[in-house]
Each structure stands twice: as C-alpha cells, then as structure tokens.
Amino acid sequence: MSKRARSLLPALALAWLLAAPEARASAPGTYGMGSRAGALSGAVTADAADFSGCFYNPAGLVSAPGLELSLGYVYADNRLRINGKDNDVADVHGLMAGIVAPGKILSLPFAFGIATYIPDDGLSRIRALRQETPRWELYNDRPTILFLSVHLAVRPLPWLEIGGGLAFLAATRGRFGIRGEADVLHPYDSQLSHEVDADLTSIRYPIAGARVKLGRLGYLGVAYRGQTKLDLSLQANLEGIVDFAGVDVPLRYTLETRTLDAFQPQQVVLGLSFQAVPRLRANFDLGWVNWSAYESPTPRTSAHLEAEPPPGVGVELPEDPKPVVIVPPAFEDRFVPRLGVEYVLAFGAERRVSGRPPAKAVEIPLRAGYAYERSPVPPQEGPTNFVDADRHTISLGAGLVLNAPFSVLRGALRLDTHVALSVLPERITQKASPADFVGDYRADGTMIAGGATLTASF
C-alpha cells in the first residue's frame, strides 16, 4: 500500500463511521412473493400452493400438482415525500425463485419447498440514523436484504394440511483497526497499516400454517410468522503514535456501535378462499401484526480516546460522548385486511395434465386485489421522527397457462405478471414544542411495484 493511501485511512475510517452505512430488510412482506400473490395483494393465506406458500402459508405446498420450478423478478419504484420533497427511499429490485417438490412417504402426502429473494444491488447494507432524523421508518430500512425460506408440509387427513419451517435473513457484523505512526506535518510520510474483518451471518425465524378443506366451498387457512430483527454491530480501533513537530504522542481510540434493523413483528393471519364457483376464487385475509413490540433502531454508540503525552506536554482530551437517551417508539398493533379475486378464462381442446384434472389447452387467469395497512406509528409530537402514513394498495395481474405444452412437460408452463399501486395519503405531524429543531412537516407518497414469474410444473 502506498504512503499516500495509508495517510488517507484515518479520514476514510472516520467517514465510514460518521456516514452510517446503509441497510435494508426482506421484500416479500412489503411487495409480495411471486406475481400471483402480488396481483392478489397478498390475500393467499388459504390459497398458496406454489413457492409463495413458503412465505404466506407453507401448509399449501402439499397441494402442488407436481414438481414446480419458479423464477421471477420484481421492481418497486418508491416515491415517498416529506414536505413535498422526495426522501430518497431507494427503489427495490431483485430476483425471486422457488422450488416445490411434492411426494408420498408410504401413504402420507408431503411436500418440500424453498423460496428466496435475492436483491440485485447487494446482499446486506446498513444504515443507522439518529432518532431525531426524519425518515420513512417502515420502508427506508426494510426491503432489500437477502431472504431465504425452507419448509415441509404434510396432509395427515384428507381435509387437513400442515406445514412449517424456517426463514433466514442476512445480517452484518464488522470490525476494523488501524495501527502505525501518523506524521501531522508530513502526512505522506505516515506509516500505517489496517485490518478489516466483516461477516455476513444469518438470523432465523419460524413460519408455520395450516389449511382446512371446507368441502366444495374452498379452504380456510391460518399462518404464523415469528418476530425477527437484525442485530448489527461495528467495532473500530485506532492505535498508534502521532508525530507533531517532533513530539511523539501515543494515542488510542476505540468505538463500538450497535443497532437493530429490519424488525419484523410476529403476525397471525386468518384466510378464507372461496372456490365453489368454477374457475373463480375469492380470497379474504385478516392479519394481526404485533407492532407494539417494535424496538428502536437508534444506534447505541460508545467511544473512548486515550493519549500518553511526554512529561511537560499538556494535552486536554475531550470527554467521552454521553449515551443517547432512546425514546421508546410506542408503535401500536394493527389488523390488516386483504382481498383478492381470480377468474380463469379457458380456451382450446381439453388436455390431460399431470397432477390435475383435465383442463383446456390455454388458460388466462385475471386477478385483482386490495389491501389496507393502517400506520402503526403514533403521532411524532416529541423528539423522534419516524415518518409513516396509512397505505392503500390496489393490484392487478394476469397470467398465461399452457397445459401439457410439450411431451417432456406434461404439467403446465405458466407466466404470471402483476402491477401494484400503493397510495400513502398525506399525514401532518405537529410538534408539541415550538422550539423543536425539525418542526412540523407533512408526509405522503406513492409506491409502484411490478414483476413477472415464470413457473414450470412437471
């Protein structure tokens, strides 16, 4: 490493710490897992028999008609504003993929499923902000961390399906250190070495569910997703000698910071899928979200500076920074309703399809959905500025299904597409204190998401 590069390391290290690197969380909960579920606004707790069941309700995996391979892409354009100015909430985009493999053990039907979301702009990023800094709390740090889910489902009775497994999120821990001698008057003569150690680890949380067949009426489903959060930490050590006009001063600076990010509250969702009318499915979900357990993402930082000046040289060191007094977020639990409707148009001659009753050669599913998510964030009258607003989501989608299209593919080839518009109406925040340095503000925005998923069923 050149002397010039080494001389810049202290400044780069401090810039890294003060800039507070960026981080996000999994996308399926915000934008949906797969285009079919996205077109139905996530109302599939009782109607998810493809790879999306790995997120919504793993019990439905056992109803997959055969081995399924899915690959898709999602893109979300976030335009969230504070006082009419875009708050630079990052767009979200990445790959979604999954496998469902059904079978039997003796006479017991079972299925194995795996699903993943892979952001195409990095696996894990971190951002830690002061609690006074206005930001869209539930979208700024949630949507783009690697997500993986693995599940097993069984059908112990003809009318009962049960499934469960684990989901994984990526987390980051890091440490870096700088040692050597720094020449204040001649920085290019400094002799410094550095060491960086970063780990991409994972955290796990459970997802489980059940489906009950209601005869010809359809299905009743219930699902549980456990609470999780990313515990992110960074340690820094700067140790060496500062040469100031021929006077060597040994110096040591240590810093530790810890923050919580990507908090996902535990959820219980009850779903009903009405399937009594041929080619029509009407779904309704009602979810309880435990937002009251939300923990503040405000970083907890400690720093300490030591110096050993020669005798007779007076050096006054700054005091260690005082710990931040963290204000509890006091979020509130919410109920989230979701509606989804699917109607299938069918054309062509009837064909025998692997794992399914005979079906027309070509099917075109038409889908629509709606979801309402009331904001769990209380009025921000004090020092905190967790910006949020109610969210209304309207979704549309369509598919193209080719049944038994090839001799080697006796199942189906399906292409699903969707688009979703989320509107967040204006919410006005008025501070209790006229002296608040942020002051009153208004927040609103729109989110446009879309994607496509290709599935081959064998």
Side-chain angles (χ1 to χ4, degrees), residues 173-301:
R173 290 178 175 83
R175 176 180 64 83
F176 75 92
I178 296 178
R179 296 175 180 271
E181 182 174 343
D183 191 325
V184 176
L185 298 182
H186 303 88
Y188 295 113
D189 293 331
S190 299
Q191 299 292 327
L192 299 170
S193 63
H194 75 283
E195 178 184 5
V196 178
D197 182 16
D199 294 324
L200 183 66
T201 61
S202 66
I203 58 172
R204 299 168 293 277
Y205 64 96
I207 299 179
R211 286 207 316 170
V212 176
K213 186 171 178 57
L214 304 176
R216 296 181 63 254
L217 291 178
Y219 285 91
L220 178 69
V222 61
Y224 170 79
R225 288 194 287 274
Q227 176 179 302
T228 188
K229 59 192 174 186
L230 296 182
D231 189 349
L232 306 164
S233 61
L234 178 67
Q235 296 179 343
N237 293 281
L238 283 73
E239 184 176 359
I241 297 175
V242 177
D243 183 350
F244 187 82
V247 179
D248 292 341
V249 180
L251 181 144
R252 176 182 297 173
Y253 178 74
T254 60
L255 180 143
E256 290 188 28
T257 181
R258 175 178 174 270
T259 184
L260 300 176
D261 200 8
F263 182 94
Q264 176 178 288
Q266 64 177 342
Q267 305 175 45
V268 177
V269 186
L270 182 67
L272 176 65
S273 179
F274 178 77
Q275 303 177 9
V277 179
R279 300 198 302 273
L280 174 67
R281 298 190 181 195
N283 300 342
F284 173 73
D285 278 13
L286 182 63
W288 169 76
V289 188
N290 184 209
W291 281 115
S292 61
Y294 191 85
E295 299 182 39
S296 174
T298 303
R300 298 157 175 81
T301 302

Side-chain angles (χ1 to χ4, degrees), residues 31-374:
Y31 306 105
M33 174 62 85
S35 283
R36 181 177 185 270
L40 297 172
S41 291
V44 293
T45 299
D47 185 28
D50 58 4
F51 82 106
S52 68
C54 291
F55 180 78
Y56 294 103
N57 187 350
L61 297 173
V62 74
S63 288
L67 174 65
E68 289 190 349
L69 305 178
S70 299
L71 179 65
Y73 190 81
V74 63
Y75 191 101
D77 178 28
N78 297 315
R79 301 184 181 185
L80 304 179
R81 299 175 291 272
I82 298 178
N83 289 333
K85 182 180 179 181
D86 194 293
N87 201 226
D88 294 326
V89 174
D91 296 340
V92 176
H93 36 86
L95 293 170
M96 291 187 177
I99 299 174
V100 181
K104 282 189 177 182
I105 301 178
L106 298 178
S107 59
L108 179 67
F110 79 96
F112 170 80
I114 183 170
T116 185
Y117 167 76
I118 305 175
D120 58 11
D121 58 351
L123 297 182
S124 179
R125 296 178 301 178
I126 307 164
R127 178 160 67 177
L129 300 174
R130 291 168 54 91
Q131 60 188 350
E132 297 86 0
T133 303
R135 76 300 199 126
W136 285 85
E137 178 64 18
L138 301 187
Y139 305 104
N140 210 33
D141 288 340
R142 291 174 58 80
T144 59
I145 281 181
L146 175 67
F147 169 85
L148 176 67
S149 186
V150 180
H151 295 277
L152 181 67
V154 297
R155 185 186 294 127
L157 298 170
W159 51 269
L160 177 63
E161 300 170 353
I162 300 173
L166 294 174
F168 302 81
L169 293 179
T172 304
R173 290 178 175 83
R175 176 180 64 83
F176 75 92
I178 296 178
R179 296 175 180 271
E181 182 174 343
D183 191 325
V184 176
L185 298 182
H186 303 88
Y188 295 113
D189 293 331
S190 299
Q191 299 292 327
L192 299 170
S193 63
H194 75 283
E195 178 184 5
V196 178
D197 182 16
D199 294 324
L200 183 66
T201 61
S202 66
I203 58 172
R204 299 168 293 277
Y205 64 96
I207 299 179
R211 286 207 316 170
V212 176
K213 186 171 178 57
L214 304 176
R216 296 181 63 254
L217 291 178
Y219 285 91
L220 178 69
V222 61
Y224 170 79
R225 288 194 287 274
Q227 176 179 302
T228 188
K229 59 192 174 186
L230 296 182
D231 189 349
L232 306 164
S233 61
L234 178 67
Q235 296 179 343
N237 293 281
L238 283 73
E239 184 176 359
I241 297 175
V242 177
D243 183 350
F244 187 82
V247 179
D248 292 341
V249 180
L251 181 144
R252 176 182 297 173
Y253 178 74
T254 60
L255 180 143
E256 290 188 28
T257 181
R258 175 178 174 270
T259 184
L260 300 176
D261 200 8
F263 182 94
Q264 176 178 288
Q266 64 177 342
Q267 305 175 45
V268 177
V269 186
L270 182 67
L272 176 65
S273 179
F274 178 77
Q275 303 177 9
V277 179
R279 300 198 302 273
L280 174 67
R281 298 190 181 195
N283 300 342
F284 173 73
D285 278 13
L286 182 63
W288 169 76
V289 188
N290 184 209
W291 281 115
S292 61
Y294 191 85
E295 299 182 39
S296 174
T298 303
R300 298 157 175 81
T301 302
S302 62
H304 181 65
L305 177 64
E306 296 179 1
E308 300 176 8
V313 177
V315 176
E316 184 175 349
L317 299 178
E319 296 183 357
D320 293 347
K322 296 181 180 179
V324 176
V325 178
I326 296 177
V327 179
F331 286 11
E332 299 175 357
D333 293 349
R334 288 291 181 255
F335 286 96
V336 179
R338 300 178 184 273
L339 298 171
V341 178
E342 177 185 73
Y343 185 76
V344 179
L345 303 175
F347 306 93
E350 195 170 85
R351 293 185 176 180
R352 297 180 62 183
V353 184
S354 176
R356 291 178 52 194
K360 298 290 187 179
V362 178
E363 295 177 326
I364 300 179
L366 304 176
R367 306 179 180 109
Y370 170 77
Y372 171 61
E373 298 172 77
R374 184 184 173 196

Side-chain angles (χ1 to χ4, degrees), residues 427-443:
R427 183 178 184 181
I428 298 176
T429 295
Q430 294 181 320
K431 293 296 185 177
S433 172
D436 188 283
F437 75 93
V438 172
D440 300 342
Y441 55 85
R442 66 186 190 278

Side-chain angles (χ1 to χ4, degrees), residues 328-332 334 375-381 384 386 388 427 429:
F331 286 11
E332 299 175 357
R334 288 291 181 255
S375 173
V377 180
Q380 300 294 284
E381 300 174 345
T384 61
F386 299 136
D388 193 35
R427 183 178 184 181
T429 295

